[in-house]
Amino acid sequence: MNDLRKAAVDRKVVAVRVDLNVPTDDRGRITDDTRIVAALPTINHLRRSGAKVLLISHFGRPKGRPDPSMSLEPVARALEGYLDDPVAFAGDCIGPAVEETVANIDYGEVALLENVRFHPGETGNAPDFARALAEPAEKFVNDAFGAAHRSHASVVGLARLLPSYAGFLLASEIAALERVLNNPERPLAALVGGAKISSKIGVLRNLVERVDMLLLGGGMANTFLAANGLDMQASLVESSHLNDASEIQRRARESGCEIVLPTDGVMASGLAAGAETVVVAVDQVPEGWTMLDIGPATERLFHDRLRLARTIVWNGPMGMFEDRRFARGTERIARGVAASGAYSMIGGGDSVAAVKLLGIESEFDHISTGGGASLEMLEGKTLPGIAALG
């Protein structure tokens, strides 16, 4: 990939694909600015280097037509505070609105274009739409790791039409994942949670060939426990994937990867606020009860393994952490990873949310901005947005 630091961008119009698909509350206020902050180094570098910076992003899922509730204009206003400068806003991402905006900003200034997904050509990677996006620009920078697994016009199409570069965020994400997958300091431990095994089968198959330890929590662990003959009662178990769980465990044994499963858990009689909870061994789940978090014995077991690791990659919570009754496992493991002394990388929105809730994000070496993209790289896939950069 071309080095952005060596790019001649002075007095050039540079289109920059960023990921400003930030969460907002019911009043449109941004509730998590991680992606905005992550985009600032590339934006500021281009400003200082004398470029006209045209930011391109999606926001929500407007299904290929304009939707005022998914306009990026409020994000433009918020971005002004981070840049301490005005940010022009174009009412469209192609055509006269963009031409006028480019003419009205000076070199070293920034404009944000309207939601690129207001056009059906974006997700369809339509050649004519990609050409329209490229028309006002002379160079292209992809800094949207969170969209790099999408074969969309603003991700792939633009890279094929203009001299292209990886932004600093994208480059750092690639470097972190390559460090974990291709050149880790061992032992390498992967900590994988979340609700379902079905969304991470490919990831797990790839990881057991690469890691020394695979620690499993969250709802997906139930399917592995059930595959090993345990009665998980009313716990989430994907019965159609029991064979996959068995196959992954077989692959792990053959490759010398230790799979570590929960030994106890927090069980609940239901999900209602007044439901009873109890901590018991995983082979003693009360009839009709549900396992919703790992238990203290599992926390200790996982901590013991994590203390041995020199590199840790974590994706997915250990339980239904959004409910405070079942958040302890995720919180304790987060603190354990932070205190391990290992190189640590976190991917996935729920894991990142848990770390932010605890206020310990600075204690991790790398926090990924792309859940789906990082999962696909962990699965061993080449991301279209990265491949298009050459």
Side-chain angles (χ1 to χ4, degrees):
M1 289 182 294
N2 293 325
D3 187 347
L4 179 58
R5 289 183 175 84
K6 298 178 181 178
V9 298
D10 184 34
R11 302 191 69 78
K12 301 293 185 183
V13 180
V14 181
V16 187
R17 181 54 161 99
V18 288
D19 184 1
L20 300 180
N21 186 33
V22 292
T24 57
D25 61 18
D26 54 6
R27 295 184 181 180
R29 295 174 299 191
I30 294 168
T31 57
D32 184 346
D33 66 357
T34 300
R35 289 173 174 168
I36 293 176
V37 173
L40 294 178
T42 293
I43 296 170
N44 284 325
H45 170 78
L46 292 169
R47 293 170 71 203
R48 290 192 299 268
S49 299
K52 288 188 180 184
V53 184
L54 303 185
L55 302 179
I56 300 171
S57 181
H58 70 284
F59 188 75
R61 298 176 183 269
K63 299 181 180 179
R65 59 180 182 271
D67 183 336
S69 71
M70 298 182 199
S71 172
L72 276 166
E73 187 167 11
V75 179
R77 302 288 73 82
L79 187 58
E80 291 178 325
Y82 293 88
L83 297 177
D84 197 25
D85 264 319
V87 173
F89 181 73
D92 202 344
C93 59
I94 59 173
V98 179
E99 294 172 12
E100 181 180 350
T101 299
V102 171
N104 287 336
I105 64 172
D106 203 351
Y107 294 102
E109 295 183 343
V110 178
L112 175 60
L113 310 187
E114 183 57 283
N115 192 339
V116 74
R117 288 189 183 172
F118 282 0
H119 293 265
E122 163 64 359
T123 56
N125 193 18
D128 58 341
F129 180 67
R131 285 191 293 270
L133 281 174
E135 179 64 29
E138 296 163 278
K139 301 200 175 187
F140 172 63
V141 175
N142 188 350
D143 210 27
F145 180 69
H149 59 312
R150 306 293 190 192
S151 294
H152 292 174
S154 66
V155 177
V156 172
L158 274 174
R160 293 173 177 163
L161 293 169
L162 296 168
S164 299
Y165 305 82
F168 299 143
L169 168 62
L170 183 65
S172 71
E173 295 273 14
I174 295 169
L177 280 156
E178 287 185 344
R179 174 172 178 169
V180 166
L181 291 173
N182 300 328
N183 191 33
E185 185 178 354
R186 292 187 181 274
L188 167 59
L191 183 63
V192 183
K196 297 181 178 181
I197 180 179
S198 56
S199 62
K200 297 180 180 176
I201 290 173
V203 172
L204 296 173
R205 284 176 176 156
N206 189 46
L207 286 177
V208 295
E209 304 285 341
R210 294 174 176 268
V211 307
D212 301 297
M213 297 174 279
L214 178 61
L215 289 66
L216 298 176
M220 71 161 55
N222 300 337
T223 300
F224 280 85
L225 293 167
N228 293 345
L230 298 186
D231 186 350
M232 298 308 294
Q233 293 293 331
S235 305
L236 173 63
V237 171
E238 293 182 276
S239 300
S240 61
H241 291 289
L242 292 174
N243 288 338
D244 291 312
S246 296
E247 181 222 349
I248 289 165
Q249 291 182 93
R250 176 185 59 77
R251 286 190 181 207
R253 289 191 296 271
E254 292 172 354
S255 62
C257 168
E258 179 191 13
I259 290 186
V260 186
L261 292 168
T263 58
D264 68 338
V266 180
M267 316 297 171
S269 61
L271 295 178
E276 295 179 74
T277 61
V278 64
V279 175
V280 298
V282 292
D283 60 355
Q284 298 175 17
V285 184
E287 183 176 356
W289 286 46
T290 304
M291 179 168 164
L292 294 171
D293 194 11
I294 59 173
T298 303
E299 291 172 19
R300 292 191 293 271
L301 173 64
F302 283 12
H303 281 306
D304 288 343
R305 293 297 192 279
L306 294 172
R307 276 194 287 267
L308 300 174
R310 300 309 307 150
T311 305
I312 300 171
V313 56
W314 176 24
N315 187 293
M318 296 294 99
M320 200 171 76
F321 84 103
E322 60 271 21
D323 186 322
R324 292 298 307 162
R325 295 172 297 170
F326 312 113
R328 171 180 153 143
T330 299
E331 292 175 356
R332 294 296 179 91
I333 294 303
R335 294 190 185 281
V337 174
S340 67
Y343 176 84
S344 54
M345 190 196 83
I346 302 178
D350 288 338
S351 308
V352 174
V355 166
K356 283 183 166 291
L357 194 63
L358 294 172
I360 58 173
E361 56 264 47
S362 64
E363 298 178 38
F364 295 83
D365 293 288
H366 184 79
I367 297 180
S368 180
T369 58
S374 62
L375 276 178
E376 291 202 12
M377 284 194 74
L378 289 173
E379 193 173 337
K381 292 181 177 179
T382 300
L383 306 188
I386 295 173
L389 295 173

